[in-house]
Amino acid sequence: MIPRLDARKIAARAPETLAALRAGAMESGFLTVYGTAITPARMRFVLAAYRAFFDLPETVKRRVDMAATGSNRGWGAPQSEQVDPEANPDYKQVFDCGFAVPDSGLSVYAENLWPDRPEGFRQVIEAYYRDAMEVATDILRGIAEAIGEDPRFFDDKFARPMALLRGNYYPPRPDWAGEKDFGIAAHTDYGCLTLLGTDGVPGLEVLTPEDNWVPVRADPGEFIINFGEMLEIWTGGRVKATLHRVRGSAEERISVPLFFNPDYDTNVAPIGSGRVVTAGEHLQKRFNETYVHLKTG
C-alpha cells in the first residue's frame, strides 16, 4: 500500500502521519503527498509551459539539444536515455535543468540551456524549481525524523544541491512498440528523493514486494514521492529505492520530477559506518550509464 499524506501534518510531525511516512519509506518506497505550497493551479501552469516547449518543432528544440554537450542540460530527444540495458532506449522526450555552479568543472553543475521559445519558459521553470526544492526539503526533514534521525540531519548537505528538474513528455505508445519499448523502462532512481508532479494521466507503475506492477497516480497539485539508490545507501537500507516504469498508453502524458540530491562532496555512506561514498561520484557514474550521449562504451 502506498500512503497518501498531508504535507501540513508532516510539517507538524503528527504521530500517525510520521508512522505512515516511515512505513512508506521503509516498505513501498513510494508516497503521495498533498497540501504543499504548490497549488493545483500552479502545477497546471508549469505543466502548460513544458507542453508548449515539447510542442515546438524539432528543429527549434535541437538548438538546446543536450546531445551536443557533455552534460544533462537542455532537451533530450526520444531514445536519448536507456535506463534499463536489457530494454530499448526510452521513447519519451525530456527537458533537464539544474543547479549551476560556473567554472566548477563538474557536469552535474553545468550551465543550463534555455530555449528562446516559448516566451517566459525560463522564468516559469526557474521559479518552480526554487519552490519545489523547498517542498522537497520539508519532506526530507520529515523522513529524517520518521526513521529516527535528527530532522535537520540533511539540511547542511544541500547548500549546492545536485538537484535536477525534468519535464518528461510521454507520447501515446507508438504502434511499433514491442515488449522492450517503454516511455521509461524499469529502474530505480539514482539519487536521494524524487518529487514528481504530473498532469493526472495514468502511466506510472510501481513494482510491489510480490512482484506485481501496480499503477500510482496523482492529480496536479498532489505529488508522488519516491526514494533513490543514494538515500537507500545513506540510511543503511532503512529507506527503500523501488523499481518503477512507464509503459505508455493511448494518452500522452507530462510529468515533472525534481530529483533532489545533496552537494557533490557529501558522504552518503551509511550513517555511522565510517565509510566514504561520495554523492557526486555515485550520481555521475549512473548518469554516464544512462544518457546515450554520455556513454563511453
Side-chain angles (χ1 to χ4, degrees):
M1 179 180 174
I2 296 174
R4 181 174 183 264
L5 305 177
D6 187 336
R8 293 157 294 197
K9 291 185 178 180
I10 296 175
R13 306 294 189 259
E16 289 186 3
T17 298
L18 283 187
L21 182 60
R22 183 183 308 111
M26 300 180 77
E27 295 171 13
S28 67
F30 270 78
L31 318 162
T32 61
V33 175
Y34 64 95
T36 75
I38 298 174
T39 65
R42 173 77 178 286
M43 195 70 233
R44 290 189 184 95
F45 186 62
V46 172
L47 289 161
Y50 279 114
R51 187 177 300 279
F53 171 77
F54 288 121
D55 281 346
L56 292 171
E58 182 174 318
T59 53
V60 176
K61 290 181 285 192
R62 287 280 179 200
R63 297 172 191 165
V64 288
D65 190 348
M66 68 172 67
T69 76
S71 65
N72 55 348
R73 298 292 193 269
W75 178 64
Q79 301 183 318
S80 61
E81 278 192 340
Q82 187 176 19
V83 299
D84 179 358
E86 301 301 318
N88 293 326
D90 305 329
Y91 63 73
K92 69 183 182 305
Q93 297 179 43
V94 305
F95 182 87
D96 288 352
C97 65
F99 195 94
V101 180
D103 303 319
S104 70
L106 298 170
S107 64
V108 292
Y109 289 135
E111 294 285 352
N112 291 303
L113 298 178
W114 294 107
D116 295 328
R117 297 162 52 193
E119 186 176 352
F121 179 79
R122 176 176 181 174
Q123 290 76 12
V124 171
I125 302 309
E126 284 185 329
Y128 177 78
Y129 179 72
R130 290 191 298 270
D131 293 345
M133 285 199 293
E134 290 187 11
V135 172
T137 297
D138 289 343
I139 293 170
L140 198 54
R141 287 171 181 160
I143 292 290
E145 186 156 340
I147 66 172
E149 299 294 336
D150 186 301
R152 299 279 174 171
F153 172 80
F154 295 107
D155 283 17
D156 63 350
K157 284 82 170 175
F158 286 79
R160 300 201 305 178
M162 296 180 294
L164 188 77
L165 182 65
R166 160 170 289 185
N168 285 316
Y169 172 70
Y170 297 98
R173 184 170 172 81
D175 293 339
W176 48 259
E179 288 304 308
K180 291 190 174 184
D181 295 297
F182 296 87
I184 186 167
H187 67 289
T188 51
D189 286 354
Y190 307 151
C192 192
L193 179 148
T194 303
L195 179 80
L196 178 71
T198 85
D199 59 6
V201 173
L204 179 64
E205 298 176 327
V206 176
L207 188 65
T208 70
E210 296 76 33
D211 284 335
N212 297 317
W213 289 102
V214 299
V216 56
R217 63 175 296 276
D219 290 324
E222 184 166 344
F223 293 91
I224 298 167
I225 310 295
N226 67 282
F227 311 102
E229 300 161 357
M230 188 184 297
L231 192 59
E232 185 172 79
I233 295 167
W234 206 352
T235 61
R238 285 176 289 172
V239 175
K240 183 179 179 182
T242 301
L243 278 169
H244 52 286
R245 69 184 186 184
V246 175
R247 180 175 171 82
S249 70
E251 293 185 82
E252 66 178 13
R253 177 174 178 267
I254 291 182
S255 69
V256 184
L258 171 72
F259 302 107
F260 194 50
N261 305 312
D263 302 355
Y264 186 94
D265 292 327
T266 301
N267 182 12
V268 296
I271 298 167
S273 68
R275 294 165 47 206
V276 176
V277 177
T278 304
E281 292 175 353
H282 167 82
L283 202 60
Q284 189 61 65
K285 176 178 181 291
R286 298 299 276 125
F287 285 162
N288 290 347
E289 294 168 346
T290 299
Y291 289 88
V292 172
H293 73 285
L294 297 181
K295 291 186 178 185
T296 55

